[in-house]
């Protein structure tokens, strides 16, 4: 469909697309629509399909013409060559009431676009970075946890003392003053890692089967019961039975059973895994700090359309997460005003960060290569347990390759920024900031 298009630059992030469609094309579209109606309509005094065009126009033009106009606008806008990336929803500049009889059809569409930002301030960023540090103590704790998975439990006899790793079946009463907060006739407590009544489990250590005790305890903040967290309560408990935990000795045979070659290989492997996790976590925290520094160091215009897109994606993601956690229908999930405000702030940050990342990528000529796409598809396939071929087919079917390219560029750009920024320990950075504040204060006082 032929049409004329003029693009007006309103701002860095907004354009108006002015369209002109020849009247003959408009009339041809109207002719098709009226012919379709004329063929099927039955008006009083006329046989089906024989009602005159002028009568059909008189009765139905107010409904047909806006419909045809909407179809034409939608079709022309979609077919228009756009030398920019549109974000958010396009908006008609003026409302279209009908179609012209003789003149060409003119309309304008306002669009928010993804702005191209030059001269992003990103050189010499100082980023807090906690260097990975795998201690021997941490490795031994990891080994102990795996050995503990092979532990066995045996019933304690009357008179046997309960230890720090044991479990006990008890009757339990928790009181705050005269108010009974909980009363359990029979519940299992873990001495050192109690989930429901942290702070109470520790009272069991040193007790024996059949023994009773009354004591005070403060319920830990990790309690699964929100109403008990942080409360100091009176505890009445009686041990009904107990099980003692007995962990096996660490040997090469046990290491093999746990999936390692021997004890030494277990120690090395666990240390390597911990180092990899710490390195990945430290890098992820640094990447977040890089985005925060970029956003703080650059003032740019952020189109509302891009914020809208980011917000829509975020809300949908949070809705699905909450539905998964609660078992509710996602359509029934509602968010409070405070939550919605928080989502909008996050969306605005993400929108600004994406613009700046794109600016850095352009400045440093960071692009997507075929091998990058292949690697990302293989990564997605491995994470989902599917073949790379099926993942690629799905991406192409959904026309999501541009989105994948954007994600790869963002990741590569963040990696480049990480490799080229100044990584500073949080302590050193805090000291430098304190010294700078003191210097500024001294300069201010001397004026």
């Amino acid at each position: 469909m032929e049409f004329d298009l003029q693009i007006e630059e309103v701002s860095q992030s907004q354009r108006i697309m002015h369209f002109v469609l020849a009247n003959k094309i408009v009339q041809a579209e109207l002719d098709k629509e009226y012919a379709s109606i004329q063929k099927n309509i039955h008006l009083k005094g006329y046989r089906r399909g024989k009602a005159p065009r002028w009568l059909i126009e008189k009765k139905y033009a107010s409904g047909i013409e806006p419909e045809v106009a909407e179809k034409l606008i939608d079709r022309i806008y979609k077919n228009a060559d756009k030398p920019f990336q549109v974000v958010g929803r396009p908006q008609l500049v003026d409302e279209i009431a009908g179609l012209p009889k003789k003149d060409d059809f003119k309309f304008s569409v306002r669009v928010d676009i993804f702005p191209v930002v030059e001269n992003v301030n990103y050189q010499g960023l100082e980023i807090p970075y906690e260097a990975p540090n795998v201690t021997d103590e941490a490795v031994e704790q990891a080994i102990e946890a795996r050995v503990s998975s092979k532990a066995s439990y045996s019933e304690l006899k009357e008179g046997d003392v309960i230890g720090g790793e044991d479990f006990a079946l008890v009757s339990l009463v928790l009181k705050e003053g005269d108010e009974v907060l909980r009363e359990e006739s029979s519940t299992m407590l873990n001495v050192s890692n109690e989930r429901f009544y942290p702070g109470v489990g520790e009272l069991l250590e040193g007790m024996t089967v059949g023994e009773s005790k009354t004591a005070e305890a403060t319920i830990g903040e990790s309690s699964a019961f929100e109403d008990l967290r942080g409360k100091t309560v009176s505890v009445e408990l009686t041990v009904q039975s107990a099980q003692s935990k007995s962990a096996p000795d660490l040997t090469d045979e046990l290491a093999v059973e746990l999936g390692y070659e021997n004890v030494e290989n277990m120690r090395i492997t666990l240390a390597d895994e911990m180092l990899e996790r710490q390195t990945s976590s430290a890098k992820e925290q640094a990447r977040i700090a890089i985005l925060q520094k970029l956003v703080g160091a650059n003032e740019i215009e952020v189109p509302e359309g891009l914020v809208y897109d980011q917000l829509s994606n975020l809300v949908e993601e949070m809705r699905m997460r909450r539905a998964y956690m609660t078992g509710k229908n996602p359509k029934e999930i509602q968010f409070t005003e405070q939550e919605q405000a928080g989502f909008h702030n996050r969306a605005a940050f993400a929108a600004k960060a994406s613009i700046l990342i794109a600016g850095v990528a352009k400045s440093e000529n960071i692009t997507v290569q075929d091998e990058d796409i292949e690697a990302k598809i293989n990564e997605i396939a491995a994470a989902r347990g599917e073949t790379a071929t099926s993942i690629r087919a799905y991406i192409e079917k959904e026309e999501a390759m541009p989105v994948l390219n954007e994600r790869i560029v963002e990741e590569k750009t963040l990696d480049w920024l990480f490799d080229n920024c100044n990584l500073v320990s949080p302590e050193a950075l805090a000291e430098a900031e304190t010294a700078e504040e003191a210097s500024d204060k001294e300069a201010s006082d001397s004026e």
Side-chain angles (χ1 to χ4, degrees), residues 14 99 108 116 132 172 195 227 265 277 354 368 380 405 446:
Q14 196 171 88
L99 291 168
S108 300
V116 178
L172 175 70
R195 177 186 175 193
D227 63 312
N265 173 257
R277 285 196 298 272
S354 66
V368 177
I380 297 171
N405 285 351
S446 63

Side-chain angles (χ1 to χ4, degrees), residues 145-248:
R146 279 158 180 75
V147 171
S148 181
S149 69
K150 295 295 182 180
S152 58
Y153 293 86
S154 58
E155 289 289 331
L156 291 179
K157 300 175 183 178
E158 190 171 344
D160 288 342
V161 176
I162 297 173
E165 296 292 321
D166 298 342
F167 288 84
L169 189 67
V170 304
S171 62
L172 175 70
V173 178
L174 302 184
K175 292 182 179 179
E176 188 178 36
D178 294 329
E179 182 185 359
V180 176
L181 302 178
R182 289 291 189 282
E183 187 169 2
E184 305 260 17
S185 60
S186 187
T187 187
M188 186 71 77
L189 297 183
N190 181 263
V191 176
S192 59
N193 189 27
E194 173 55 31
R195 177 186 175 193
F196 294 97
Y197 302 108
V200 175
E202 289 91 327
L203 298 177
L204 290 166
E205 190 165 7
M207 294 182 68
T208 59
V209 176
E211 184 179 353
S212 297
K213 176 187 284 188
T214 299
E216 277 196 349
T218 299
I219 307 299
E221 293 294 335
S222 62
S223 172
F225 299 121
E226 289 187 23
D227 63 312
L228 294 180
R229 292 173 189 169
K231 287 189 175 181
T232 299
V233 296
S234 172
V235 182
E236 299 172 10
L237 56 82
T238 298
V239 180
Q240 299 169 346
S241 64
Q243 291 182 325
S244 177
K245 181 179 179 181
S246 178

